[in-house]
Amino acid sequence: MTDVQFNSIIKYFDKINIKETEPTTKHINKYIFDRDLSIVINELVILILNKINEGINGNNGKIIKKYVINHISNNKIILQEFYTYLLNNQNNSNSIYLLGYFNYYGIGTDLDKQKAIELYKKASELENKVAQLNLTEIYISMTNVESDRNLAFKLSKKLAEKECASGMNNLGLCYENGIGVDINELKAFELYQKAADLENSNGMNNLGWCYKFGIGTDIDLQKSFELFKKSADLSNIYGISSLADCYYNGVGTDINKQKSFELYLIAANLKNNYAQYFVAEMYETGNGINKDMDQAIYWYKKSAKQGNQYAQDKLSELLEE
């Protein structure tokens, strides 16, 4: 990764650091009508779908959430009033889905993930593609319930058949991890390849892991590095962290601990718990950077809070000492 590309990643995330408080009540009353709000609803659903298909759905969806809030702000709409409109106009799958999305991320209302999932299910049954994607990702990452896992596979298969890039990537995850289907690493590899060919940065990252560990293909560390780099250049959080691993361990490239730390730190600041753990470890050991135990504990706490077991164990050990 060149310095220009590295700087562009930082600028990219700075650019989407959106303020949410600019609109005023008079804007929506004076300028926004039902037809306009219906258009905004459709625009937001298309925006979310496009970003998911690009692979911009890391950091637990908070990056896309900023795009959503920015779009609403640019249309001079107050979040709470827009939420009320959604609540009172549940007349199509897009408005049903978006009400679920607002509940899932606490936009204009209190966070209510259970209500959100029910709305996603309702929109999904109406063949809403982005609701199906969100529901799939929830069930892939957050449940061990067999019926949910079976639904994740079924929806992913349906979306992949419609040439949906993120659906292909999710179906690859199902085949790789045995979610609703028997494990088939070759199918997983093929699906990640198709998703990557459609410029899905998550697919690129997962394909990189296939080449790194020989999942459904032969090990090729150079290809692995190139795919991680391409994913990172598209500002994918997981790709950035994977590329940091390559520089740390010399996978497909020369060892460069300083560049590795810089990349881990970008991903850590974007709340990737894996990257937070390695930033903490590098501060603890002084491996490639100046040793700083206060920073080490700070980042172990960040990672542990997000459920990273290694960070939790390490933090307990350090605090006891």
Side-chain angles (χ1 to χ4, degrees):
M1 177 177 287
T2 66
D3 289 339
V4 172
Q5 290 168 328
F6 178 75
N7 290 334
S8 72
I9 291 174
I10 298 174
K11 290 178 181 177
Y12 167 85
F13 287 110
D14 285 344
K15 184 170 64 176
I16 62 172
N17 185 17
I18 307 302
K19 292 184 178 180
E20 303 180 17
T21 56
E22 293 182 3
T24 61
T25 306
K26 65 181 180 181
H27 288 137
I28 191 168
N29 292 337
K30 186 173 180 180
Y31 299 115
I32 305 297
F33 303 95
D34 281 357
R35 179 178 173 278
D36 300 310
L37 290 174
S38 295
I39 291 170
V40 172
I41 289 170
N42 293 336
E43 288 173 345
L44 286 171
V45 172
I46 292 169
L47 171 67
I48 295 167
L49 177 61
N50 287 342
K51 293 302 176 187
I52 291 175
N53 274 327
E54 290 171 14
I56 309 299
N57 54 335
N59 192 16
N60 298 319
K62 292 179 182 178
I63 294 173
I64 296 179
K65 175 184 174 182
K66 289 185 177 182
Y67 278 106
V68 169
I69 291 171
N70 188 34
H71 190 79
I72 294 169
S73 176
N74 287 342
N75 280 278
K76 303 185 186 302
I77 302 171
I78 296 174
L79 291 174
Q80 288 76 11
E81 292 195 10
F82 191 51
Y83 177 81
T84 300
Y85 179 84
L86 282 172
L87 197 61
N88 295 325
N89 290 271
Q90 291 289 283
N91 48 18
N92 60 63
S93 71
N94 278 351
S95 59
I96 293 167
Y97 162 73
L98 204 59
L99 182 65
Y101 185 89
F102 275 43
N103 275 274
Y104 197 87
Y105 292 104
I107 302 173
T109 187
D110 293 333
L111 187 146
D112 188 339
K113 290 192 174 183
Q114 188 55 49
K115 181 177 180 179
I117 290 170
E118 293 305 315
L119 288 162
Y120 286 167
K121 286 180 180 177
K122 186 175 179 181
S124 176
E125 289 167 0
L126 295 171
E127 300 300 324
N128 187 283
K129 190 180 291 186
V130 70
Q132 291 172 342
L133 279 171
N134 280 167
L135 203 55
T136 299
E137 290 171 357
I138 289 168
Y139 286 151
I140 284 176
S141 63
M142 297 184 184
T143 183
N144 289 314
V145 178
E146 186 176 353
S147 61
D148 292 345
R149 292 165 68 86
N150 290 338
L151 180 59
F153 172 75
K154 180 181 177 181
L155 290 175
S156 295
K157 190 171 185 293
K158 180 185 291 189
L159 290 163
E161 288 169 351
K162 294 178 180 178
E163 298 296 308
C164 172
S166 192
M168 291 175 183
N169 180 67
N170 289 338
L171 187 59
L173 289 170
C174 290
Y175 276 114
E176 183 184 353
N177 299 289
I179 298 171
V181 68
D182 292 336
I183 290 174
N184 188 325
E185 292 185 348
L186 179 59
K187 278 186 177 290
F189 170 79
E190 291 171 349
L191 286 158
Y192 292 147
Q193 181 68 70
K194 288 180 179 180
D197 289 344
L198 291 171
E199 298 299 310
N200 181 276
S201 58
N202 284 325
M204 294 171 195
N205 181 61
N206 288 330
L207 190 62
W209 283 96
C210 288
Y211 279 116
K212 184 175 181 179
F213 293 109
I215 301 170
T217 188
D218 295 330
I219 290 175
D220 189 327
L221 298 182
Q222 185 60 43
K223 279 188 179 179
S224 178
F225 171 77
E226 290 169 359
L227 284 159
F228 291 149
K229 183 175 182 299
K230 188 173 182 181
S231 180
D233 288 345
L234 291 171
S235 303
N236 185 286
I237 294 173
Y238 307 115
I240 294 168
S241 184
S242 297
L243 187 62
D245 285 345
C246 289
Y247 283 116
Y248 188 90
N249 296 299
V251 176
T253 188
D254 294 333
I255 290 175
N256 186 329
K257 294 293 176 67
Q258 181 60 40
K259 190 173 284 287
S260 173
F261 175 76
E262 291 169 356
L263 288 164
Y264 278 138
L265 190 59
I266 290 173
N269 279 312
L270 293 165
K271 300 185 180 179
N272 181 293
N273 73 81
Y274 175 86
Q276 289 171 340
Y277 174 82
F278 276 97
V279 167
E281 185 179 67
M282 292 180 81
Y283 271 124
E284 181 191 0
T285 61
N287 190 357
I289 58 170
N290 293 328
K291 189 172 180 178
D292 189 327
M293 288 305 298
D294 288 338
Q295 282 294 308
I297 290 172
Y298 171 82
W299 285 110
Y300 279 135
K301 284 182 177 179
K302 288 279 190 181
S303 182
K305 188 176 180 181
Q306 293 197 81
N308 187 298
Q309 187 62 53
Y310 295 109
Q312 291 170 358
D313 293 343
K314 192 66 179 180
L315 188 60
S316 296
E317 176 187 324
L318 289 174
L319 292 178
E320 282 178 9
E321 292 175 358

